[in-house]
Amino acid sequence: MILVVNFGGQYAHLITRRIRDLRVYAEILPYTKITLKMVREIRPDAIILSGGPSSVYELQAPKIGKWILSLGIPVLGICYGFQLIAAMMGGEVRRSKGEYGPTKVKILDRSGLFEGWDEEETVWMSHSDHVASPPQDVIVTAISENGYIAAFKHRSLPIYGVQFHPEVKHTYKGSILLDNFVKIAGSSRDWTENRMISLIKEYLKRELEECSSISSAVSGGVDSTVATFLVNQFAGDRLTSIFVNHGLLRKNEPEDVLNLLERTGINPIYIDASKEFLSALRGVKECEKKRKIIGELFVKVFSKSLKGRDFDCLVQGTLYPDVIESGGEIGADRIKSHHNVAGLPEWIKSKVKVIEPLRYLYKDEVRRLALHLGLSKEIVERHPFPGPGLAVRIIGEVTEEKLSIVREASAIVEKVLRKKGFYNKVWQAFASVGDDRWVGVKGDTRVDGYIVTVRIVESEDAMTADWYELPSDILEEISKRITSEIPQVTMVTYAITTKPPSTIEPC
Ligand code: XMP
């Protein structure tokens, strides 16, 4: 495996995902937790030092021991990691004019890390410091169009550094560079679905031993379904799964989800709590308040359904980024269930052990695994859907009328995209509605109608997103269908703002 040392921000996840895309297992460790002893135990094939927001010359800057450079295994520093290697080896890092976005670099040595690169390539830069004078023992291997050192390698040791971000898609040959690094590391390409399953099996075997009765909340989303499916395989007779309908689901979703789950061998207890949720949301306009009410009520309904059942373990579809973000790490302690489930009442927290079969995986890996396990394509391909459901696609108060508009309009968006073959090309696609009105003419009558906004985005991980340039005839079809099939709607708009500065959901 390859160890990615995290110096802050989201970079480390993207690097890890790219390495795993090359079928090599990679894990993240925060720089604060890495020790020589631990590295000796984990025995990674190579180490990557990630980017980060700090400056190496600041007193409080994140550091790592110099021992990292004398382990004898390949080390690659990216951006901050590159500057850190330079500083540790006696080079000088200084503030510069900075380079941001696509930048041309000239490659001076097209072997090793840069094999397969042309003499001039475009890379993605994002830095305000630069390596002003390189350490004595390195050879500069790339220079940017602004004259800054863009990469170097050690004269005799397998130590490399790049100022740009090979993990970002806009560095067009970034994955070739990472692939070259994996070759240098000699890692085996064995991060396959079968290896994922054996890792999860090992985890479940160990963790489920203490469980006499297990519960799981399934939503039909890919994470909760795959997590429940896996536990069901190992502990079917001990598992009770529950599907709560909070009344904020998409059109026909309760029936569809129950059908899909049944075909997967999961037969959840169905709880229709829609009335309770809608009445709790009455009069509530602010987004965060809606989220809080829904979250708390969900836990209440779920816990109530568990009362009287003597369960001691709870399945969660937690993914790898959340394990890392909540302070956990896998490499260091080889798994301890520590993950805290937000919002659960004390009586549950004190008695349950949380089972997280997907804690090693990224979302795209869960999708791959689901297909490998033979789960329905419908489950795998469904767009992510927020826990608070349509409440966050309604701006202002959630009323029956707005709920029905958003439900119908979203169903139209999905139907048209599926028909035209675009559904699987985008990350999310939905309609939203607020309280603003647009005067329309329907037949001979003036109608003070609702404005529906259609949002269709491309994204890799929802941290950033681009609006999708859907052909105009398809947009027109969506608009026509929404205004003709939903009488209260007089205007359809298309959201053309990226994230950031916008968010994906309107509320
Ligand atoms: P935003 O709107 O923050 O959304 O750009 C990023 C991703 O997160 C989903 N989302 C949520 N998921 N509870 C959830 O479980 C929420 O309250 C929530 N809000 C947003 C959203 O659908 C997108 O995929």
Side-chain angles (χ1 to χ4, degrees), residues 291 384-388 392-393 427-428 462 499 503-505:
R291 276 199 176 80
F385 187 61
V392 296
R393 293 182 176 170
W427 173 264
Q428 276 173 305
K499 172 182 179 176
T503 51
I504 295 176
E505 305 289 350

Side-chain angles (χ1 to χ4, degrees), residues 140-168:
V140 173
T141 49
I143 295 277
S144 82
E145 60 184 306
N146 303 302
Y148 295 129
I149 297 174
F152 62 49
K153 68 173 184 188
H154 194 280
R155 284 179 199 282
S156 53
L157 300 172
I159 295 172
Y160 304 83
V162 291
Q163 179 58 75
F164 55 87
H165 289 272
E167 73 277 20
V168 171

